[in-house]
Amino acid sequence: MKDGIIEASKIKLQKSKKEILDVEHFQLAQGEVRAVIGPNGAGKSTLLQVLALLQRPSSGQLFFRGEIVNSKNILSIRRRMAVVFQEALLLDTTVYKNVASGLQIRGHRKKEIDGLVWEWLERLGIRSLAHRPARFLSGGESQRVSLARAFALEPEVLFLDEPFSPLDYPTKKGLIDELRDILQATRISTILVTHDYHEIPVLADSVTVLDRGKVIQSCSQQEIFQKPANDVVASLLGVAEKNRRPGR
């Protein structure tokens, strides 16, 4: 895998004899932002959890920087990743302590923690909230704290599981624009699960489309808007049914 950071091969996941995932191949290049889209129940969040090593597949292989993931190295590799979920899962303490929590768990020194926390509070515009209890934050503020906590870990791969879906449009737009600038500056390899196709041109370099657990298209974000593979992809991209025509 040239310049690759994550690769998945022949990944299958079954629950209660039902096939949730059947992904022949998936890869994320170094510095790439890849969006994962699909209908409800397509397996998007499940794939993210498998790639983030939070859920074990029934079969298949995962590679991180060319090294196969196994029971001996899974914890050390997981510590090189960070995940931001749809709901801001914050501790019942101050904003500062929430952002510092991951660094403390990973054994960083106090001086290093302090520097990283203040840096990301500043970059995400929430420095003034540092000593405020997290339970009193708005939805947008809470998600900024979640992002600050993730970026402070300096991950090699960032996983974003529909982090903007609970937010109102003005809050969402401002945060997406800021995230775009941060990802362009840091070049952190990122997987973004989203149901909002408007986020793709702003944030993503490439797109993978899932339907019923299978990859039905994987390409650049420019190509997917110009050549959606089928009606499912076209509908996910907001193309009205009356404007779709089959052709070659």
Side-chain angles (χ1 to χ4, degrees), residues 5 79-83 106 149-159 187-189:
I5 189 164
R79 287 180 171 176
R80 296 159 73 179
M81 303 172 173
V83 184
R106 296 187 183 188
R149 181 170 58 190
F151 280 114
L153 293 171
E154 300 183 315
E156 294 175 53
V157 183
L158 176 65
F159 295 89
R187 299 301 299 161
I188 295 174
S189 306

Side-chain angles (χ1 to χ4, degrees), residues 101-119:
S101 60
L103 294 164
Q104 291 169 338
I105 291 170
R106 296 187 183 188
H108 289 254
R109 296 180 179 179
K110 187 178 184 305
K111 185 176 181 180
E112 184 182 8
I113 291 173
D114 203 48
L116 286 166
V117 171
W118 286 114
E119 175 188 349

Side-chain angles (χ1 to χ4, degrees), residues 5-173:
I5 189 164
I6 285 179
E7 184 173 9
S9 177
K10 302 183 185 305
I11 295 296
K12 292 192 177 187
L13 179 65
Q14 293 182 331
K15 291 183 179 180
S16 302
K17 298 184 180 180
K18 180 181 178 182
E19 189 170 79
I20 309 299
L21 287 177
D22 182 8
V23 176
E24 185 69 19
H25 185 256
F26 179 97
Q27 75 174 46
L28 179 72
Q30 178 67 49
E32 177 185 17
V33 179
R34 178 171 288 273
V36 178
I37 66 173
N40 290 336
K44 304 182 295 296
S45 293
T46 303
L47 177 61
L48 178 144
Q49 290 174 25
V50 168
L51 297 173
L53 309 181
L54 299 175
Q55 186 164 182
R56 190 182 298 273
S58 305
S59 61
Q61 293 181 317
L62 292 166
F63 299 84
F64 187 84
R65 295 195 180 279
E67 178 183 5
I68 190 167
V69 178
N70 55 45
S71 58
K72 295 180 180 179
N73 62 18
I74 188 170
L75 182 58
S76 63
I77 293 175
R78 191 182 295 152
R79 287 180 171 176
R80 296 159 73 179
M81 303 172 173
V83 184
V84 176
F85 294 101
Q86 182 175 344
E87 296 295 327
L89 304 175
L90 302 182
L91 303 173
D92 189 13
T93 184
T94 65
V95 167
Y96 179 97
K97 289 181 179 179
N98 267 280
V99 178
S101 60
L103 294 164
Q104 291 169 338
I105 291 170
R106 296 187 183 188
H108 289 254
R109 296 180 179 179
K110 187 178 184 305
K111 185 176 181 180
E112 184 182 8
I113 291 173
D114 203 48
L116 286 166
V117 171
W118 286 114
E119 175 188 349
W120 285 103
L121 289 175
E122 181 72 35
R123 291 183 74 167
L124 281 155
I126 49 175
R127 186 183 180 95
S128 63
L129 305 178
H131 303 298
R132 185 181 297 184
R135 66 178 180 272
F136 295 134
L137 300 177
S138 68
E141 290 167 343
S142 296
Q143 206 56 288
R144 286 176 182 273
V145 175
S146 293
L147 287 166
R149 181 170 58 190
F151 280 114
L153 293 171
E154 300 183 315
E156 294 175 53
V157 183
L158 176 65
F159 295 89
L160 303 171
D161 191 2
E162 300 197 45
F164 312 113
S165 60
L167 307 180
D168 60 74
Y169 178 75
T171 303
K172 176 191 290 191
K173 186 179 185 308

